[in-house]
Amino acid sequence: MLNEKSLAVSPDCNDCPIRHRAVCARCETDELERLEEIKYYRKFEAGQTVIWSGDRMEFVGSVVSGIATLTQTMEDGRTQMVGLLLPSDFVGRPGRSSAAYDVVATTDLVMCCFRKSPFEEMMTRTPHIAQRLLEMTLDELDAAREWMLVLGRKTAREKIASLLSIIARRDASINMRDVGDQLAFDLPLTREAMADYLGLTLETVSRQISALKKEGVIELQGKRHVTIPDMGRLLEEAGDDADGGVFA
């Protein structure tokens, strides 16, 4: 069930930072009004579990701000981070009654949630929602396939550069900035979390980030604020095409 320690918040939809990317991106005014009737916002503190694997899903929704992780736990207790949920990503699956993964807030998290049953009913009556959700699902599938390449074939340096480019491009998209410009963002993951997600050691992550900084590929202020002077160069380090792949 939804974590009972979650705190209700009330952002204004007109000022929503993910409006142009969310599941409601193509909705007309009357469709948004119907969504308003089944919508609520929830806030989670960093480290809180949004939902546990196997729990009944009573909601679906989008990440408005912050980042969460998708984690799967094996029978012997071993865990593996299998995905990141960035702003505008959709949580939950219409038609599925229970959660497939643990969803944990990595940073303070705000979610725009919809009551699941009414949302499923709206999908049948609102092609704009169904079409947008299909597009997002296909993008997620492409991203998962691309991430298999990152984890399976790329070097440690390429893995770090790939993750930084993913986060940078998503941040640029949310804030509607040109990825050709110099990009700056706050890294939402600790180096320990990056190591876990990439299948690397903490020492390797720290060493590769330091190397990228020393060579001018990235600039760092403290441990979290990252500036990318030349996105093309970072993509070269990641072994990606100039268009940045499917994560943009």
Side-chain angles (χ1 to χ4, degrees), residues 21-39:
R21 288 186 55 101
V23 70
C24 57
R26 293 186 177 147
C27 286
E28 304 291 348
T29 301
D30 60 327
E31 295 167 338
L32 288 174
E33 290 174 352
R34 292 200 296 271
L35 280 175
E36 284 282 351
E37 297 173 0
I38 63 171
K39 182 183 73 176

Side-chain angles (χ1 to χ4, degrees), residues 40-214:
Y40 59 97
Y41 291 91
R42 306 294 286 186
K43 181 177 179 180
F44 300 86
E45 297 177 357
Q48 265 191 285
T49 299
V50 177
I51 195 163
W52 295 99
S53 173
D55 277 358
R56 183 173 180 80
M57 287 286 294
E58 303 290 352
F59 72 100
V60 295
S62 299
V63 175
V64 177
S65 64
I67 285 186
T69 59
L70 296 172
T71 304
Q72 193 162 32
T73 302
M74 302 174 66
E75 289 185 0
D76 61 5
R78 287 177 293 167
T79 61
Q80 175 63 50
M81 190 189 305
V82 297
L84 290 177
L85 293 170
L86 304 172
S88 78
D89 282 341
F90 195 74
V91 181
R93 178 173 165 180
R96 173 177 285 175
S97 60
S98 61
Y101 305 103
D102 296 338
V103 179
V104 180
T106 301
T107 66
D108 289 347
L109 186 75
V110 174
M111 287 188 58
C112 175
C113 302
F114 304 100
R115 288 184 286 121
K116 187 167 175 289
S117 292
F119 183 84
E120 290 172 340
E121 293 174 4
M122 270 202 70
M123 284 182 60
T124 66
R125 305 194 309 268
T126 311
H128 286 150
I129 293 177
Q131 182 181 14
R132 178 59 185 149
L133 186 57
L134 175 61
E135 290 175 351
M136 294 172 72
T137 302
L138 293 175
D139 285 344
E140 183 179 346
L141 176 60
D142 285 342
R145 289 169 172 166
E146 187 80 6
W147 196 246
M148 288 175 63
L149 173 64
V150 173
L151 297 181
R153 292 297 180 183
K154 291 194 175 184
T155 66
R157 183 184 180 93
E158 289 172 336
K159 288 180 179 180
I160 297 295
S162 293
L163 181 59
L164 292 175
S165 70
I166 291 166
I167 296 172
R169 280 179 276 131
R170 177 61 65 87
D171 184 79
S173 177
I174 292 296
N175 292 289
M176 292 184 282
R177 296 197 303 266
D178 187 346
V179 294
D181 298 337
Q182 175 176 285
L183 298 179
F185 60 94
D186 290 323
L187 188 63
L189 298 174
T190 65
R191 295 188 182 187
E192 290 87 349
M194 291 174 67
D196 183 30
Y197 190 39
L198 295 170
L200 302 172
T201 65
L202 173 60
E203 293 76 13
T204 298
V205 170
S206 296
R207 185 168 59 249
Q208 294 299 333
I209 288 178
S210 296
L212 291 171
K213 176 184 176 183
K214 183 177 180 180

